[in-house]
Each structure stands twice: as C-alpha cells, then as structure tokens.
Amino acid sequence: MFCKNCGNQVSESDTFCSICGTNQKPTSIEESEKMVFNTNSNEKLLGLSEYYIEEFKKIQDSKEQYKGKFNFTAFFFGVLWGLIKGLWLSAIIAIVIGILTGGIGIIVYWIVFGIRGNYIYYNYVMKDKQIPL
C-alpha cells in the first residue's frame, strides 16, 4: 500500500506515513470512498467499477486526448445515469433544456452522455474531487 499523500510505501497496519505523517486510515465513509490506492500495483480506486478504472487510466495516459468509449448505460439511462453518478449539474441542465425544447434536449443529452459520459464522469471524479490516479 502507498501513502495517499506522498506515495511512500506503507504497510496496511500503519496509521501514519513515516515520511509525511499523513493519517492512512479513513476517518469517514466519504473519505474511504475517495481514498486512492496505487494503481501501478493493480490496486483499485475505491467506489469505481473496473470499467471506469480502465477508462480513466486510458484517458489519463493519453493526456486527455482519448475521451472514453461510447457508454451504453449513460446513453440508455441519460439523466438517471447522471444523477446516480453525482453529475447533478449536467442532469439538471439536461432536464431544463428538455423542458425548454419539448423533450428534444433530453434526447440530445442521451447522445452526449453516451459519447462523452466517461469523460464527463472522469472530470467529476478526478478533477472536481481532486483525486490523483
């Protein structure tokens, strides 16, 4: 296991990092969900499925040139997918545009979520929450 602050190797039983002193034990469920393990050791980001971990790695490795493959779940469930993933602003914008355009905006957002859903979710998880991969 590696320190979530400086990357120093620590054992799972260590409470604090010997280099920087950062607490290695999550203090709450929310922090536990945000905590990141070293992905070079094939350890996972907590709370993300293998699908998103692989997509996020590809996006980051390409320096964000790769925007993610088509996400069928995001396409078929659109706004509901956005709400479940915590993309509140995107979902609310889709609903408002849908109302203003008589439903056409929702269909457009389904397509946008399908094509760019992985990248939108990547930005939310990795940048907005400041989680390094």
Side-chain angles (χ1 to χ4, degrees), residues 74-128:
F75 174 73
F76 287 118
F77 294 101
V79 172
L80 182 60
W81 174 85
L83 291 172
I84 290 170
K85 295 299 180 187
L87 304 170
W88 297 98
L89 183 60
S90 295
I92 291 170
I93 290 170
I95 291 168
V96 169
I97 289 175
I99 291 169
L100 295 175
T101 61
I104 295 171
I106 294 286
I107 295 169
V108 170
Y109 256 85
W110 280 341
I111 295 167
V112 169
F113 280 152
I115 294 171
R116 288 287 189 254
N118 291 336
Y119 188 67
I120 294 168
Y121 189 41
Y122 167 84
N123 282 317
Y124 170 72
V125 171
M126 306 306 271
K127 292 181 179 175
D128 294 347

